[in-house]
Amino acid sequence: MSEPRQQNLTNLRKNATFDVVVVGGGVNGIGVYRELALQGLRVLLVERNDFASGCSAAPSRMIHGGLRYLENGEFDLVRESLQERDALLLNAPHMVRPLPTVIPITSVFSGMFNAAASFVGWQGKPSSRGAVPIKLGLSLYDWVTRKRRILPRHHFNSAGRTRKNWPALTPKATRSAVYYDAQITHPERLCVEMIRDVAAEAPDCIALNYAEMTRDGDSFAVTDRRSGASVPVIPKVIVNATGAWLDDTVNGLGGRVNERMVSGTKGSHLIIDNPALYQALGGHMVYFENTDGRVCIVFPYQGKVLAGSTDIRVDKAEHVRCEPDELDYILGSLRLVFPGVEIASDQVVFSYSGIRPLPRSDQDFTGRISRGHDTRRLDGDVPQFCMVGGKWTTFRAFGEQTADEVMGELGHSRRASTLGLSIGGGAQFPDDPERLKTRLVADFRIAPERAHHLMEHYGTQADDVAQFCRSGQDAPLTDGCLYTRAEIIWLMRTEYVETLSDIVLRRTALAITGQISDALLAQLAEIFAHERGISPQEINNQKQTLIHELSEFYGVTAEALTARNKERRTECA
């Protein structure tokens, strides 16, 4: 067990009385935990698995205003999303960066009637959007941010310019539009950075992963799922932030509702190792429509290509995976927009899927279901505030809204806004990141590639990691890998790591970028066992659990892990 988690368990046993207990350690739960803790309340955050291991680990990795929400008439959501996008660009610039986006245009007026009908409440499937409705939408997008613009305005390209910039784009695109949103490189890491910020600023608050909140009669208890130990807790208020599992959690905590509040849809994404496709994107995301009217995306991501997504109704909250028909759907959409680029299924190095916790809806077309959010209070001896809906981009605003309602219940006043508050390594991040990179190279005598890696993962906290790595024997995990042995130990000691899965899937990008191999996994297991002093049997159990997880939910089989050993040896040779 990591020292921070052990200390949190000790503090919990000493004092188990809290103003608020937040159940659910995804981005919305962490967001409201951060909000409440920084207002001076004593807060406990309880997550059944690892932090940010559910839907929060399976987003499109876009931080965006939601251009298509304009078509649904959701102006308040777009305004809020754009405000939060811009705030994250400023507060977490080490992980959130501008993403230029191109929209291929194949007609002029198509979709005008459809867009107008949607605007006044029509709820059917959208039709293809032509140049005019796209122009109107992008103009509105720019207008919303006119007073605080930090990204360039949109512009249109002629057929010639479009062909010059994206020669592999479908010849059906007679022109194109370019606008800007943002992307996040390591969403799970940003969640952990917020928890570490709270630990520094509000040490009386506690965040526990691998723990479960239960109710027995009038009493509540938190059980450590790693040891089985249970501690009675006394909350004044409970915040239910369990996303797709919200309705199930309501019942477990003694709440009562007449109908379900959440209606989930499943979204799957692919990570593709295809240099020709990567090159064809020209550093842009391509935002386009599939034949069924569903908006799809594809953009460069950490040296690979990220493509998605599906939007499929689900009736049950559970750990989901990208199914073969979804993989075919996404690859088929890419062949429509880049018909001359050969894209094969064996180039998919990682796939992932999550359930979007959307408000309950009877919409036939899932794209019409609102991505908005609201908080619902359930009466009881301990009131329960349920966070319904939401999306990654708006987690801070959702947390702020929920925190204000909770503080109203407790008669507590807000002390400060978090709108302009930096997150983790985003604090004092330089306007020119090259300055930080150059200084890391000079101060710690490391290669520019290693400095860039540290800067992108840890921002201005890269100094702490580099200093730790310099203080002992350090070496890359394998030839050509930018993660080092000491860096993994630093993560284990400081970032609430409990399992090999935490390291491979969430604290690093080893899995999502296709780097993880059988040989690399053996290296990590050896480091983990030595650092934690655990038995060979236990570390082998963790290794087998991770291999099963990769195969079952991420499309990376045991055979693929072994094959990557050979690929790595060939690359090094």
Side-chain angles (χ1 to χ4, degrees):
M1 184 183 302
S2 68
E3 184 177 333
R5 188 171 186 274
Q6 182 64 66
Q7 186 60 54
N8 277 342
L9 284 170
T10 299
N11 293 341
L12 177 63
R13 296 185 187 100
K14 288 180 179 178
N15 182 0
T17 300
F18 295 90
D19 296 307
V20 186
V21 173
V22 179
V23 182
V27 68
N28 286 331
I30 292 170
V32 72
Y33 169 70
R34 173 180 180 245
E35 285 286 332
L36 291 164
L38 297 180
Q39 308 312 318
L41 294 171
R42 188 163 192 258
V43 192
L44 170 65
L45 173 67
V46 180
E47 165 54 43
R48 192 174 190 276
N49 297 301
D50 188 24
F51 298 125
S53 60
C55 183
S56 297
S60 65
R61 284 165 165 73
M62 290 172 61
I63 299 296
H64 64 114
L67 179 62
R68 67 184 179 84
Y69 307 154
L70 290 172
E71 195 172 73
N72 296 345
E74 296 183 277
F75 291 108
D76 288 342
L77 175 60
V78 173
R79 184 182 297 108
E80 178 183 71
S81 299
L82 288 171
Q83 171 188 275
E84 297 303 312
R85 178 202 70 184
D86 291 352
L88 279 167
L89 281 165
L90 297 174
N91 296 334
H94 57 314
M95 295 190 196
V96 180
R97 302 185 186 90
L99 178 62
T101 301
V102 58
I103 306 176
I105 299 173
T106 59
S107 66
V108 177
F109 296 104
S110 176
M112 282 292 294
F113 174 79
N114 187 280
S118 302
F119 185 78
V120 297
W122 182 70
Q123 299 179 348
K125 185 175 77 171
S127 63
S128 177
R129 293 90 167 170
V132 173
I134 289 172
K135 178 66 176 178
L136 290 173
L138 291 177
S139 296
L140 281 170
Y141 215 57
D142 286 341
W143 184 81
V144 170
T145 57
R146 67 196 182 283
K147 294 181 180 179
R148 48 178 174 79
R149 186 177 312 284
I150 64 174
L151 293 177
R153 293 173 57 89
H154 81 275
H155 65 270
F156 272 61
N157 294 309
S158 65
R161 177 63 64 179
T162 299
R163 195 60 45 212
K164 179 180 179 182
N165 291 347
W166 300 278
L169 198 62
T170 172
K172 294 180 181 179
T174 57
R175 54 183 64 81
S176 62
V178 172
Y179 74 101
Y180 282 76
D181 261 324
Q183 67 163 306
I184 181 169
T185 50
H186 308 286
E188 306 92 340
R189 289 201 47 74
L190 196 67
C191 287
V192 173
E193 286 198 353
M194 286 191 282
I195 292 171
R196 295 184 69 220
D197 285 349
V198 171
E201 296 296 325
D204 284 342
C205 295
I206 295 171
L208 284 176
N209 54 356
Y210 297 101
E212 191 168 10
M213 174 92 155
T214 56
R215 178 168 187 161
D216 184 8
D218 295 332
S219 301
F220 295 91
V222 169
T223 301
D224 175 12
R225 299 185 67 219
R226 302 288 293 164
S227 67
S230 186
V231 179
V233 295
I234 305 172
K236 296 177 184 177
V237 171
I238 294 172
V239 173
N240 183 345
T242 53
W245 287 263
L246 183 137
D247 292 295
D248 299 332
T249 306
V250 165
N251 297 327
L253 296 178
R256 293 291 181 268
V257 290
N258 295 324
E259 60 181 9
R260 295 185 68 84
M261 291 180 279
V262 171
S263 173
T265 70
K266 175 188 175 189
S268 295
H269 299 78
L270 309 178
I271 305 296
I272 305 168
D273 186 3
N274 184 314
L277 180 58
Y278 185 93
Q279 185 70 24
L281 293 169
H284 287 63
M285 180 173 83
V286 178
Y287 179 98
F288 63 100
E289 298 167 15
N290 206 345
T291 52
D292 60 357
R294 169 74 185 160
V295 171
C296 294
I297 57 168
V298 55
F299 62 92
Y301 178 75
Q302 298 197 62
K304 304 294 190 295
V305 172
L306 187 154
S309 71
T310 55
D311 197 14
I312 302 168
R313 278 193 180 277
V314 293
D315 298 322
K316 180 182 178 182
E318 59 185 347
H319 197 173
V320 292
R321 65 183 181 185
C322 178
E323 300 292 348
D325 60 329
E326 294 178 273
L327 184 144
D328 291 342
Y329 173 90
I330 296 171
L331 293 183
S333 74
L334 296 179
R335 295 181 185 114
L336 288 176
V337 76
F338 289 110
V341 178
E342 293 291 332
I343 307 171
S345 58
D346 61 3
Q347 294 173 326
V348 177
V349 297
F350 190 83
S351 62
Y352 64 92
S353 187
I355 298 177
R356 304 178 183 95
L358 307 180
R360 192 184 69 83
S361 171
D362 297 324
Q363 285 277 5
D364 291 330
F365 184 71
T366 53
R368 295 290 192 198
I369 301 176
S370 174
R371 266 52 174 177
H373 54 76
D374 69 278
T375 306
R376 304 179 192 179
R377 182 189 184 280
L378 303 181
D379 291 331
D381 50 340
V382 178
Q384 187 177 152
F385 288 81
C386 299
M387 300 180 74
V388 180
K391 64 194 189 82
W392 232 101
T393 302
T394 57
F395 78 84
R396 192 213 63 85
F398 196 5
E400 181 181 68
Q401 171 193 327
T402 307
D404 286 343
E405 294 186 28
V406 169
M407 288 190 291
E409 180 81 23
L410 296 173
H412 189 89
S413 300
R414 174 171 286 276
R415 294 182 178 180
S417 170
T418 56
L419 181 61
L421 184 64
S422 296
I423 298 174
Q428 299 180 330
F429 196 80
D431 293 335
D432 180 8
E434 285 298 314
R435 288 167 44 204
L436 174 57
K437 178 179 168 181
T438 301
R439 186 178 59 73
L440 288 169
V441 170
D443 290 355
F444 297 100
R445 297 182 180 181
I446 55 179
E449 295 80 7
R450 171 70 174 157
H452 184 78
H453 164 89
L454 293 175
M455 180 182 70
E456 284 206 329
H457 282 67
Y458 311 104
T460 50
Q461 295 175 351
D463 286 77
D464 297 336
V465 184
Q467 183 62 47
F468 180 86
C469 292
R470 185 166 69 173
S471 64
Q473 295 281 326
D474 195 21
L477 293 175
T478 60
D479 290 338
C481 181
L482 291 173
Y483 291 98
T484 70
R485 297 176 62 87
E487 183 180 353
I488 298 301
I489 294 171
W490 186 88
L491 290 169
M492 293 180 65
R493 292 184 183 179
T494 63
E495 295 199 348
Y496 309 94
V497 169
E498 287 298 302
T499 70
L500 274 176
S501 294
D502 299 343
I503 286 286
V504 173
L505 291 169
R506 289 173 288 278
R507 303 304 187 277
T508 71
L510 289 169
I512 197 170
T513 55
Q515 296 179 68
I516 191 66
S517 65
D518 192 58
L520 188 52
L521 188 50
Q523 288 283 326
L524 291 169
E526 181 269 321
I527 295 168
F528 202 100
H530 184 268
E531 173 67 14
R532 290 286 161 85
I534 60 179
S535 68
Q537 181 62 52
E538 183 176 346
I539 194 61
N540 184 63
N541 289 343
Q542 286 202 29
K543 181 180 176 182
Q544 295 307 315
T545 296
L546 174 55
I547 291 172
H548 172 76
E549 208 174 347
L550 287 167
S551 178
E552 185 70 14
F553 299 109
Y554 301 102
V556 183
T557 64
E559 293 77 15
L561 292 173
T562 302
R564 288 176 183 177
N565 294 342
K566 299 176 182 177
E567 292 170 8
R568 176 65 66 182
R569 286 196 295 269
T570 301
E571 289 172 5
C572 293

